[in-house]
Structure formats: C-alpha cells, structure tokens
Amino acid sequence: MLKTYTGSCHCGTVRFEADIDLSAGTGKCNCSMCTKGRNWSAIIKPDAFRLLAGEAALSEYQFASKSAHYLFCRHCGIRSFGRGYIEQIGGDYVSIQLATLDNVTPEELLAAPVKYANGRDNSWWTEPAETRHL
C-alpha cells in the first residue's frame, strides 16, 4: 500500500517526503558501499519524492560507474537518500534509506519484503550466497 513517509537526517537539516509502497519490496546489497553503509532502501520514481529542506546541506559522493549520486548531510553525515539513472530498473530513481524514515513503524519494516543483490560480484540480479550479515 502506498503511504507518504517523512524522513530526515540525524540533525534534521535534510528533510523529505516520499510516497513508498513497502510491500512492493525493499533492497539490500553486498557491494562495498552498501555493506559499509548498512544500506536498506526502497527505490521510488523521482515524482514520488519531495525534498522539503536542506538542499544546500547535501554533499555528494560517487564511485565506479557514477550512475548513483550518494547524497549525505554535510553536518551530521547521514545519507538519507540518493539519486541516479539505471536503465535496468526503469531509468531515473530515488533510493530512500529506510532507517531515515521518521514515521515508519517496526511492524511495517518487518512486513516489507527484502530483495538481495550481489553487487560484490557485479551480479546485481542474483542473490548472494550469504545475506544474514546484510
């Protein structure tokens, strides 16, 4: 079910709203960026995302193919969301870090299906052999 969530960085400078259907699936990956950042995200289309505050406080990091823009608050360091373009997932996207949602319940998170990606081996469409640590 589609629901409007609010989210923010730790210090509250970056704030956003996002229309997310958690029952459509969430994602975790074993690539170096996702593993080190403890990524658990939901992918949405850009028109389902609204940055409410903090654009000037966002810093950006990119690596490898540079298809993703990892955005984080320059004050507290929290990565609330990212943006990018990947043809295989439908083009433009926004990736919402679920841990930054302010009004999500533990029950909603527990019910959300998780898809795992094997980014470590550049086999994005297959599940890694081990996922318990993700």
Side-chain angles (χ1 to χ4, degrees):
M1 180 171 84
L2 195 64
K3 178 177 173 180
T4 299
Y5 292 95
T6 58
S8 61
C9 64
H10 187 258
C11 71
T13 299
V14 176
R15 292 183 292 111
F16 65 89
E17 286 183 339
D19 303 322
I20 306 170
D21 180 358
L22 290 174
S23 69
T26 64
K28 293 184 179 186
C29 174
N30 68 353
C31 77
S32 60
M33 183 68 171
C34 291
T35 299
K36 288 178 183 278
R38 303 295 294 166
N39 176 60
W40 185 15
S41 61
I43 303 293
I44 61 174
K45 288 294 190 182
D47 63 353
F49 177 82
R50 293 163 301 283
L51 183 60
L52 303 176
E55 186 166 0
L58 291 172
S59 289
E60 177 181 10
Y61 176 71
Q62 287 189 289
F63 73 104
S65 69
K66 302 201 184 286
S67 59
H69 301 265
Y70 299 94
L71 302 168
F72 58 95
C73 175
R74 65 181 174 88
H75 300 291
C76 67
I78 295 298
R79 181 169 51 106
S80 302
F81 66 96
R83 299 180 179 140
Y85 181 90
I86 298 175
E87 186 67 38
Q88 295 88 336
I89 64 170
D92 290 321
Y93 71 90
V94 176
S95 177
I96 305 297
Q97 296 298 310
L98 299 183
T100 66
L101 296 178
D102 298 324
N103 62 332
V104 68
T105 67
E107 294 78 18
E108 289 173 301
L109 292 173
L110 288 168
V114 179
K115 298 173 189 166
Y116 295 93
N118 188 1
R120 176 176 292 143
D121 298 319
N122 204 29
S123 182
W124 300 95
W125 311 114
T126 61
E127 186 170 307
E130 182 58 70
T131 60
R132 291 176 296 174
H133 64 294
L134 301 175

